[in-house]
Amino acid sequence: MYARRRRIYFLLMGGCLFLFVSAWSFVRLLSVEAAVALCVVAMVIPPVAAVIANRRGPDDRWWDDPSGDPKSDEWWDELDGKRRHED
């Protein structure tokens, strides 16, 4: 899962870089409006890429999910301030 998300992130960021560089390298010679439009599209891509890269997959452990190891779960609960008070 992580490798696929990382690959998609780098493809999106590579596309963003390609759009930005091509907009001001040769598209501006044809149309400044088109170059600005390409830059606006390139501006939207990084936040989308960050959301995709940080999305939780079905196999990923979330920060509050129990791991199944009682000692580890107890340690994390104590660290998070959710210490179980046993009487």
Side-chain angles (χ1 to χ4, degrees):
M1 282 299 212
Y2 178 71
R4 186 176 76 199
R5 285 185 306 191
R6 188 177 56 195
R7 186 175 25 249
I8 292 172
Y9 174 79
F10 283 122
L11 283 172
L12 285 170
M13 292 306 288
C16 175
L17 188 61
F18 174 77
L19 285 174
F20 185 75
V21 170
S22 66
W24 297 112
S25 295
F26 57 87
V27 175
R28 71 176 169 86
L29 300 174
L30 302 172
S31 170
V32 173
E33 292 83 10
V36 170
L38 285 176
C39 284
V40 168
V41 171
M43 179 181 67
V44 173
I45 292 175
V48 172
V51 167
I52 289 173
N54 291 316
R55 184 179 51 180
R56 176 184 168 201
D59 297 334
D60 294 342
R61 181 178 183 274
W62 195 239
W63 65 275
D64 60 349
D65 286 346
S67 67
D69 178 20
K71 185 130 179 107
S72 175
D73 290 339
E74 180 182 335
W75 184 80
W76 280 109
D77 287 344
E78 181 180 341
L79 195 65
D80 291 336
K82 296 187 286 186
R83 189 172 187 175
R84 297 180 193 137
H85 297 288
E86 296 177 12
D87 296 326

